[in-house]
Amino acid sequence: MAVTACLTASMLAACGGNAAEPQASASPGGTAASPAPKKEISISMFDRGTVAAEEGSYESNRWTKWINENGPAIVKWIPVPRNEAQTKLNTLIASGSAPDLIWEFDRGYIAQLANQGAIQPIDAYIEKYSTSYKQYLKDNPELKSYLTFDGKMYAVSSVRMISSVANHGIWIRQDWLDKLNLKMPTTQEEFLEVARKFKTGDPDGNGKADTVPIAFHGNSASVLRAFFGTHENQWFLENGKLEFGRLSNRYMDSLAFQKQLFDEGLIDKEYITDKSFQRSKQFLTTGQAGIYLASWNVENEFMDLKKNLPDSNLVPMEPFSTKYGKYGLYQETPPNILTAFNANMKEDKIEAAFKFLDWMLDTGWMPLKYGEENVHVKYEGEIPQTIDAEKLRKEVSYANEYAIVSKQIIKPEWYPAMAAKDAVSQEYAKKKGDSLQIALKNKYRRDIAYSPTMPELTQLLATFAPIAQQIEAKVVTGGASMTAQTGMDELHKEWKRLGGENVDKIVNDWYQQNKDQLK
């Protein structure tokens, strides 16, 4: 990569164009004028709990300092808990203390903010203040429709890598399968049978009934939904009409399956309150869990497991089929992070933000993704080669999302070359490549390119979502007193009470008018 020549072992200074800090210029009297002070902007980010104590915090660490030293703006980072991000951001917006730049992966949430007037259109500002990002949009025109609401652009984004299009994954202890003489499950019933044997068959060999067959991490309920070809926040075509995923028969069956796993003790009884998923992660890394519903990339957990149990064999697993057929796990749409501009942001800060975005897109993203050259990484042609996996993991892995736009490209076959040369790193690199290919092997069900975002819908969903989550929690944990059918009846009742029938009509009118653009 051409820009790697600009990264040295002694400092992480970006080179060229917007990447450089303003230089002093000669004044009319012949003396050097001081560079203009950098503007300060604030940006939200997800707190995923992965910054080591010795590295600092999400607000202040080696990378936040590097950004402020080398970028064209001073950035104040505002962390929000990953699993409560929208709730926290809504609170900040309501109190008038939201950051200048607000980002999410969820296009529906950005639409909600646009409809509420919490963010502002940026078309004119891109044209006026941007160079690199403006050109990037021209080079990647497929992004624009995802960033546009009611004819105006409200966010910036960059194209996802294939490794970022893949999202969820399933991992299973192959050594447990081998010990219990079980085959890799391919159907819903086989999956249940394997989980039951993992519970009762003492696969860890300690003579105790202490295994947790299935550990959850992140949005694992969405992993379960995907088996049934549904999702809680998507719209699907049924008999030529759009139906909200959370209200479908497929969704009810996925909820019934989740309840069955809970009732039979195949998942941790406390998973709903395990907001940070540290408990679930510990089950896996200490050898108590046999199946892990998580991301397709679980490098940190894999490394911790190998430290604790060197002979363990955690491998990626393909999704199993249900009565509805076989689907891929959740896959993302082309845009990566969607970053919106606070409605209260003044033009001088908007200008500073676009200078920052241009710099990040040009060169700033590379160290945040790969680390410092000759310290964390060296390059074999265009392939970044990790020098020390543990050092990279501790000092760099948490910095990934500071790069809110990037031009990163990674191919599955790169992983062994990118990884450190120790045996465990190479073992995981091979499995990581396999996992990515498995994650993309089966098509994820997405009947329309993106969901509708009209104000009536976003307002309804803002009220309906927390109610639905409470009902679903009761279904899963309520035993015989609360069936999946009872829960679905309540969901339909609440949807109707909140004006859902009218929204259904508006959504389907929108679909008929726009269906040629949604393929």
Side-chain angles (χ1 to χ4, degrees), residues 80-92:
V80 293
R82 172 62 186 105
N83 295 302
E84 300 172 3
Q86 295 180 12
T87 301
K88 178 64 174 177
L89 287 170
N90 288 340
T91 301
L92 293 173

PDB file of all heavy atoms in Angstrom, residues 80-92:
ATOM      1  N   VAL A  80     -20.695   5.180  24.333  1.00  0.00           N
ATOM      2  CA  VAL A  80     -22.023   4.745  24.772  1.00  0.00           C
ATOM      3  C   VAL A  80     -22.011   3.224  24.800  1.00  0.00           C
ATOM      4  O   VAL A  80     -21.423   2.594  23.922  1.00  0.00           O
ATOM      5  CB  VAL A  80     -23.145   5.270  23.845  1.00  0.00           C
ATOM      6  CG1 VAL A  80     -23.257   6.785  23.946  1.00  0.00           C
ATOM      7  CG2 VAL A  80     -22.914   4.872  22.390  1.00  0.00           C
ATOM      8  N   PRO A  81     -22.622   2.591  25.799  1.00  0.00           N
ATOM      9  CA  PRO A  81     -22.603   1.123  25.875  1.00  0.00           C
ATOM     10  C   PRO A  81     -23.188   0.498  24.610  1.00  0.00           C
ATOM     11  O   PRO A  81     -24.262   0.909  24.151  1.00  0.00           O
ATOM     12  CB  PRO A  81     -23.480   0.823  27.100  1.00  0.00           C
ATOM     13  CG  PRO A  81     -23.478   2.090  27.895  1.00  0.00           C
ATOM     14  CD  PRO A  81     -23.374   3.201  26.911  1.00  0.00           C
ATOM     15  N   ARG A  82     -22.489  -0.479  24.055  1.00  0.00           N
ATOM     16  CA  ARG A  82     -22.903  -1.061  22.770  1.00  0.00           C
ATOM     17  C   ARG A  82     -24.347  -1.541  22.782  1.00  0.00           C
ATOM     18  O   ARG A  82     -25.103  -1.294  21.832  1.00  0.00           O
ATOM     19  CB  ARG A  82     -21.968  -2.236  22.394  1.00  0.00           C
ATOM     20  CG  ARG A  82     -22.439  -3.021  21.164  1.00  0.00           C
ATOM     21  CD  ARG A  82     -22.469  -2.120  19.943  1.00  0.00           C
ATOM     22  NE  ARG A  82     -23.030  -2.748  18.760  1.00  0.00           N
ATOM     23  CZ  ARG A  82     -24.247  -2.500  18.280  1.00  0.00           C
ATOM     24  NH1 ARG A  82     -25.059  -1.669  18.916  1.00  0.00           N
ATOM     25  NH2 ARG A  82     -24.667  -3.071  17.166  1.00  0.00           N
ATOM     26  N   ASN A  83     -24.753  -2.231  23.835  1.00  0.00           N
ATOM     27  CA  ASN A  83     -26.070  -2.838  23.846  1.00  0.00           C
ATOM     28  C   ASN A  83     -27.166  -1.896  24.339  1.00  0.00           C
ATOM     29  O   ASN A  83     -28.331  -2.284  24.424  1.00  0.00           O
ATOM     30  CB  ASN A  83     -26.051  -4.110  24.694  1.00  0.00           C
ATOM     31  CG  ASN A  83     -25.162  -5.167  24.079  1.00  0.00           C
ATOM     32  OD1 ASN A  83     -25.359  -5.579  22.950  1.00  0.00           O
ATOM     33  ND2 ASN A  83     -24.141  -5.588  24.809  1.00  0.00           N
ATOM     34  N   GLU A  84     -26.788  -0.668  24.667  1.00  0.00           N
ATOM     35  CA  GLU A  84     -27.771   0.342  25.063  1.00  0.00           C
ATOM     36  C   GLU A  84     -27.487   1.647  24.336  1.00  0.00           C
ATOM     37  O   GLU A  84     -27.833   2.729  24.810  1.00  0.00           O
ATOM     38  CB  GLU A  84     -27.716   0.553  26.579  1.00  0.00           C
ATOM     39  CG  GLU A  84     -28.008  -0.699  27.394  1.00  0.00           C
ATOM     40  CD  GLU A  84     -27.743  -0.499  28.893  1.00  0.00           C
ATOM     41  OE1 GLU A  84     -27.400   0.630  29.280  1.00  0.00           O
ATOM     42  OE2 GLU A  84     -27.880  -1.468  29.646  1.00  0.00           O
ATOM     43  N   ALA A  85     -26.846   1.535  23.171  1.00  0.00           N
ATOM     44  CA  ALA A  85     -26.334   2.723  22.482  1.00  0.00           C
ATOM     45  C   ALA A  85     -27.445   3.700  22.133  1.00  0.00           C
ATOM     46  O   ALA A  85     -27.339   4.908  22.400  1.00  0.00           O
ATOM     47  CB  ALA A  85     -25.571   2.305  21.224  1.00  0.00           C
ATOM     48  N   GLN A  86     -28.513   3.211  21.530  1.00  0.00           N
ATOM     49  CA  GLN A  86     -29.570   4.115  21.083  1.00  0.00           C
ATOM     50  C   GLN A  86     -30.278   4.777  22.259  1.00  0.00           C
ATOM     51  O   GLN A  86     -30.609   5.967  22.210  1.00  0.00           O
ATOM     52  CB  GLN A  86     -30.544   3.370  20.185  1.00  0.00           C
ATOM     53  CG  GLN A  86     -29.893   2.905  18.884  1.00  0.00           C
ATOM     54  CD  GLN A  86     -30.840   2.166  17.960  1.00  0.00           C
ATOM     55  OE1 GLN A  86     -32.063   2.168  18.162  1.00  0.00           O
ATOM     56  NE2 GLN A  86     -30.300   1.512  16.943  1.00  0.00           N
ATOM     57  N   THR A  87     -30.484   4.018  23.325  1.00  0.00           N
ATOM     58  CA  THR A  87     -31.108   4.590  24.525  1.00  0.00           C
ATOM     59  C   THR A  87     -30.238   5.696  25.095  1.00  0.00           C
ATOM     60  O   THR A  87     -30.727   6.782  25.444  1.00  0.00           O
ATOM     61  CB  THR A  87     -31.327   3.496  25.583  1.00  0.00           C
ATOM     62  OG1 THR A  87     -32.165   2.477  25.043  1.00  0.00           O
ATOM     63  CG2 THR A  87     -31.967   4.067  26.833  1.00  0.00           C
ATOM     64  N   LYS A  88     -28.941   5.446  25.181  1.00  0.00           N
ATOM     65  CA  LYS A  88     -28.019   6.443  25.724  1.00  0.00           C
ATOM     66  C   LYS A  88     -27.943   7.661  24.816  1.00  0.00           C
ATOM     67  O   LYS A  88     -27.969   8.811  25.289  1.00  0.00           O
ATOM     68  CB  LYS A  88     -26.633   5.806  25.883  1.00  0.00           C
ATOM     69  CG  LYS A  88     -25.555   6.762  26.394  1.00  0.00           C
ATOM     70  CD  LYS A  88     -25.855   7.258  27.798  1.00  0.00           C
ATOM     71  CE  LYS A  88     -24.698   8.097  28.337  1.00  0.00           C
ATOM     72  NZ  LYS A  88     -24.986   8.651  29.681  1.00  0.00           N
ATOM     73  N   LEU A  89     -27.855   7.433  23.503  1.00  0.00           N
ATOM     74  CA  LEU A  89     -27.793   8.561  22.570  1.00  0.00           C
ATOM     75  C   LEU A  89     -29.074   9.381  22.623  1.00  0.00           C
ATOM     76  O   LEU A  89     -29.031  10.624  22.569  1.00  0.00           O
ATOM     77  CB  LEU A  89     -27.553   8.049  21.151  1.00  0.00           C
ATOM     78  CG  LEU A  89     -26.133   7.538  20.862  1.00  0.00           C
ATOM     79  CD1 LEU A  89     -26.085   6.836  19.506  1.00  0.00           C
ATOM     80  CD2 LEU A  89     -25.121   8.677  20.905  1.00  0.00           C
ATOM     81  N   ASN A  90     -30.224   8.726  22.740  1.00  0.00           N
ATOM     82  CA  ASN A  90     -31.486   9.454  22.847  1.00  0.00           C
ATOM     83  C   ASN A  90     -31.508  10.343  24.087  1.00  0.00           C
ATOM     84  O   ASN A  90     -32.021  11.471  24.054  1.00  0.00           O
ATOM     85  CB  ASN A  90     -32.665   8.483  22.887  1.00  0.00           C
ATOM     86  CG  ASN A  90     -32.927   7.826  21.553  1.00  0.00           C
ATOM     87  OD1 ASN A  90     -32.495   8.327  20.512  1.00  0.00           O
ATOM     88  ND2 ASN A  90     -33.619   6.704  21.556  1.00  0.00           N
ATOM     89  N   THR A  91     -30.962   9.833  25.179  1.00  0.00           N
ATOM     90  CA  THR A  91     -30.897  10.625  26.412  1.00  0.00           C
ATOM     91  C   THR A  91     -30.006  11.851  26.223  1.00  0.00           C
ATOM     92  O   THR A  91     -30.355  12.963  26.646  1.00  0.00           O
ATOM     93  CB  THR A  91     -30.360   9.759  27.564  1.00  0.00           C
ATOM     94  OG1 THR A  91     -31.226   8.633  27.754  1.00  0.00           O
ATOM     95  CG2 THR A  91     -30.288  10.553  28.858  1.00  0.00           C
ATOM     96  N   LEU A  92     -28.858  11.650  25.574  1.00  0.00           N
ATOM     97  CA  LEU A  92     -27.942  12.764  25.329  1.00  0.00           C
ATOM     98  C   LEU A  92     -28.580  13.801  24.403  1.00  0.00           C
ATOM     99  O   LEU A  92     -28.444  15.010  24.612  1.00  0.00           O
ATOM    100  CB  LEU A  92     -26.638  12.249  24.718  1.00  0.00           C
ATOM    101  CG  LEU A  92     -25.754  11.384  25.617  1.00  0.00           C
ATOM    102  CD1 LEU A  92     -24.578  10.810  24.820  1.00  0.00           C
ATOM    103  CD2 LEU A  92     -25.238  12.186  26.811  1.00  0.00           C
TER     104      LEU A  92
END
